[in-house]
């Protein structure tokens, strides 16, 4: 019998290392005991080893971090049984929803998802009293070990603040860097602050007595969270007065909405449109990302009146961090290819169809996620206005997402590569995105594809001349 001892809570890295070690040693689940810092009854753990990562289906890899935080003491054993079966031939096991193991793990994942939702929705920060820099503290009692999984959400939402989240099992602290510490106490959180009165007034003003549903309220906002939420102090009085307020609304004489002049409204809208690239960029920079997570909007770069404009897909990790387009690995490859094609990058205009970085978080890595057609459509107006202000002679679409943004159509690159008609005042050219070249596994194929990419850029340069 082999014993694996993991840290209390959600020890994701420890589980991954132990699972690789056990599978490399061909130790089946029935010969394995999982524990969290408890005395062993069966002897010592396996000796540490530097085993390679497991090649797992995407569905399995995504499931593991969503089950490890569960409070069920059998979670590690269940996950290791899943890995063992997948590695030993059942690659499509996650598709068998009727399998008892898969069904149980799915239910555990849903429980973690619900707990994360409750923490995101019901956690309330309060300002610590005192002089000096502002600091905010919140208390929360999750059902599962989700603190580390939930903390990045609050980093993204409250990046400019200094805050701490205290729970009975641990604490998270943000002051420009995210740190985790020992458990906290509810007594360490202020009872209230000046902001809460205004928040209660807002909650009361948006409360609709005609749609009161106590069962739905209890299901969505369980009573265990009430004492940490300032707005809940107003709920009993709002419920008691709901019937009378609803009746008063029914009896009140209806009023006709004020008429608006559509001609004046349209004229006002046209006046509100940005009248320069700088004004457009200010609008883009102020706008929230369609998909939360991006650090900032990444604006286009280059001179107005550039002969050639290059449109990519969306910013990557480095672009999001630096706030400039095409500065990551794909951008460096593009710069090299432009130089070989005789195009001065400083005289070209570079931008993206989508202005914010969309990603999936895996551990500490932000993995690029392709934007959907709806997200491309959301940003299309900005791209159209941007190209109107730049007024290039030629626009080069780098990849299928850029083509979709410029034409509104899904067009295979292999079929449309070369000169293209975008139905715009400028000429068009379609080629691959440089990130495609980076993904090619074979070096010989990569070199051939790179030379073809440089040839495309030479042709585009000749067209713009």
């Amino acid at each position: 019998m082999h014993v694996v001892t993991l840290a209390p809570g959600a020890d994701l890295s420890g589980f991954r290392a132990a699972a690789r070690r056990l599978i490399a040693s061909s130790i089946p689940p029935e010969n394995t005991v999982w524990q969290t810092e408890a005395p062993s009854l069966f002897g010592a753990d396996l000796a540490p080893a530097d085993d390679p990562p497991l090649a797992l289906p995407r569905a399995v890899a995504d499931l593991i971090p969503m089950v490890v935080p569960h409070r069920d003491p059998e979670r590690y054993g269940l996950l290791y049984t899943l890995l063992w079966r997948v590695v030993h031939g059942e690659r499509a096991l996650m598709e068998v929803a009727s399998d008892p193991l898969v069904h149980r793990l799915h239910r555990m994942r849903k429980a973690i998802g619900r707990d994360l939702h409750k923490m995101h929705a019901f956690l309330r920060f309060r300002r610590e009293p005192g002089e000096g820099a502002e600091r905010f503290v919140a208390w929360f009692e999750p059902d599962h070990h989700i603190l580390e999984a939930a903390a990045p959400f609050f980093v993204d939402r409250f990046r400019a603040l200094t805050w701490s989240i205290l729970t009975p099992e641990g604490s998270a602290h943000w002051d420009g860097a995210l740190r985790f510490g020992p458990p906290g106490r509810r007594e360490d959180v202020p009872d209230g602050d000046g902001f809460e009165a205004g928040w209660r007034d807002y909650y009361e003003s948006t409360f609709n007595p005609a749609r009161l549903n106590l069962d739905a309220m209890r299901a969505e906002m369980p009573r265990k969270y009430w004492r940490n939420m300032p707005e809940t102090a107003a709920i009993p009085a709002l419920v008691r007065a709901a019937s009378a307020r609803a009746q008063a609304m029914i009896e009140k004489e209806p009023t006709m909405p004020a008429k608006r002049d559509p001609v004046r409204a349209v004229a006002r809208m046209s006046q509100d449109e940005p009248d320069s690239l700088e004004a457009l960029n200010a609008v883009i920079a102020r706008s929230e990302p369609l998909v939360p997570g991006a650090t900032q909007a990444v604006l286009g770069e280059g001179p107005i009146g550039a002969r050639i404009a290059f449109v990519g897909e969306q910013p990557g990790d480095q672009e999001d961090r630096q706030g400039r387009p095409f500065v990551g690995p794909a951008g460096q490859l593009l710069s090299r290819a432009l130089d070989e094609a005789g195009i001065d990058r400083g005289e070209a205009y570079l931008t993206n169809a989508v202005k914010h970085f969309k990603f999936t978080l895996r551990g500490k890595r932000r993995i690029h996620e392709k934007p959907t057609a709806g997200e491309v459509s959301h940003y299309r107006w900005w791209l159209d206005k941007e190209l109107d202000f730049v007024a290039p002679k030629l626009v080069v679409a780098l990849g299928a997402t850029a083509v979709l943004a410029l034409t509104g159509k899904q067009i295979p690159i292999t079929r449309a590569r070369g000169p293209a008609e975008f139905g715009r005042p400028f000429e068009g050219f379609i080629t691959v995105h440089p990130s495609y070249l980076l993904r090619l596994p074979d070096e010989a194929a990569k070199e051939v594809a790179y030379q073809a990419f440089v040839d495309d850029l030479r042709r585009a340069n000749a067209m713009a001349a």
Side-chain angles (χ1 to χ4, degrees):
M1 190 65 67
H2 298 273
V3 178
V4 180
T5 303
L6 301 179
D11 189 358
L12 180 59
S13 60
F15 171 75
R16 284 172 170 162
R20 290 197 298 266
R21 196 165 70 243
L22 291 166
I23 288 178
S25 302
S26 298
I27 298 174
E30 57 268 24
N31 290 355
T32 307
V33 173
W34 298 84
Q35 62 181 17
T36 53
E37 292 194 349
S40 171
L41 301 176
F42 302 100
D45 293 334
L46 287 171
D50 187 15
D51 300 300
L54 301 175
L56 299 173
R58 175 72 176 271
V60 177
D62 291 345
L63 176 75
I64 292 172
M66 286 299 291
V67 172
V68 164
H70 203 281
R71 197 172 291 277
D72 190 330
E74 298 182 9
R75 63 192 183 279
Y76 295 120
L78 295 171
L79 285 172
Y80 182 60
T81 300
L82 176 73
L83 295 181
W84 180 268
R85 290 175 60 181
V86 168
V87 168
H88 288 81
E90 297 184 64
R91 300 288 295 180
L93 178 58
M94 287 300 296
E95 299 175 15
V96 186
S98 60
D99 185 275
L101 174 63
V102 174
H103 177 69
R104 184 173 177 184
L105 289 172
H106 273 311
R107 292 185 61 185
M108 294 170 74
R109 174 167 61 181
K110 288 182 179 179
I112 296 300
R114 285 193 299 271
D115 209 23
L116 286 169
H117 168 72
K118 301 299 184 191
M119 188 167 184
H120 295 164
F122 300 145
L123 183 140
R124 297 290 184 268
F125 284 105
R126 287 167 173 162
R127 186 182 185 275
E128 270 196 338
E131 301 298 328
E134 282 190 325
R135 180 171 177 268
F136 297 84
V137 187
W139 170 258
F140 195 79
E141 300 174 47
D143 292 332
H144 302 281
H145 311 294
I146 62 168
L147 179 61
E148 292 190 19
F153 170 87
F154 297 101
V155 170
D156 291 338
R157 177 157 291 190
F158 305 111
R159 188 177 296 273
L161 304 179
T162 298
W163 50 258
S164 295
I165 299 174
L166 309 182
T167 79
E169 293 186 351
S171 55
H173 309 275
W174 170 258
D175 55 3
L178 182 61
R179 297 171 288 104
F180 295 95
R185 300 180 307 160
R186 194 176 188 281
E187 295 76 22
D188 297 332
V189 179
D191 291 331
D193 58 21
F195 177 77
E196 291 190 358
W199 172 245
R200 281 195 300 270
D201 289 344
Y202 170 77
Y203 183 81
E204 292 174 3
S205 69
T206 59
F207 183 83
N208 186 347
R211 302 188 65 181
L212 178 63
N213 186 327
L214 293 177
D215 290 338
M217 289 178 66
R218 295 188 190 99
E220 181 59 29
M221 191 192 299
R223 188 174 287 274
K224 65 173 286 188
Y225 302 110
W226 284 28
R227 61 177 179 171
N228 301 322
M229 301 170 63
E231 63 268 36
T232 55
I235 289 178
L238 291 172
V239 170
R240 286 194 298 271
S243 179
R245 288 181 60 194
Q247 187 62 35
M249 291 168 61
I250 294 171
E251 295 173 355
K252 186 176 181 181
E253 183 177 348
T255 57
M256 295 297 294
K259 291 184 178 180
R260 298 184 62 190
D261 184 345
V263 176
R264 293 178 60 187
V266 171
R268 177 63 184 273
M269 289 173 61
S270 64
Q271 293 172 7
D272 290 341
E273 282 195 10
D275 56 3
S276 67
L277 183 59
E278 291 76 13
L280 176 68
N281 283 340
V283 173
I284 298 173
R286 289 196 304 267
S287 300
E288 292 291 326
L290 183 60
V291 178
T295 303
Q296 58 189 316
V298 178
L299 307 175
E301 188 174 273
I304 291 178
R307 286 189 312 115
I308 306 179
F310 293 89
V311 178
E313 179 192 79
Q314 70 169 359
D317 179 75
Q318 288 302 312
E319 287 80 3
D320 178 68
R321 296 180 190 278
Q322 298 182 39
R324 296 183 56 205
F326 292 98
V327 293
Q332 295 168 18
L333 186 63
L334 175 62
S335 296
R336 173 186 154 200
L338 290 174
D339 187 59
E340 291 188 27
I343 300 173
D344 186 342
R345 172 169 171 155
E347 295 181 358
Y349 189 83
L350 287 82
T351 190
N352 283 292
V354 173
K355 306 304 183 186
H356 293 94
F357 179 37
K358 178 183 177 182
F359 62 89
T360 299
L361 197 62
R362 294 188 190 169
K364 296 183 179 180
R365 295 182 61 205
R366 303 193 301 174
I367 307 300
H368 164 275
E369 190 173 332
K370 184 176 180 178
T372 65
E375 290 158 3
V376 173
S377 176
H378 172 82
Y379 288 91
R380 191 177 184 187
W381 183 87
W382 284 343
L383 177 64
D384 288 345
K385 295 294 293 183
E386 183 179 16
L387 294 177
D388 285 345
F389 288 127
V390 176
K393 286 190 63 178
L394 175 76
V395 172
V396 178
L398 300 172
T401 299
V403 174
L404 175 61
L406 290 164
T407 67
K409 301 176 183 178
Q410 298 275 8
I411 301 175
I413 299 301
T414 53
R415 191 182 75 194
R417 192 168 183 172
E421 181 59 55
F422 294 153
R424 310 291 186 89
F426 46 77
E427 294 184 83
F429 194 95
I430 296 175
T431 185
V432 298
H433 195 284
S435 62
Y436 160 76
L437 307 176
L438 297 175
R439 293 194 299 268
L440 294 173
D442 181 76
E443 290 300 322
K446 185 178 294 186
E447 182 60 29
V448 171
Y450 175 75
Q451 291 304 324
F453 180 56
V454 173
D455 290 342
D456 283 348
L457 297 183
R458 290 196 181 104
R459 293 174 64 196
N461 192 28
M463 287 177 61

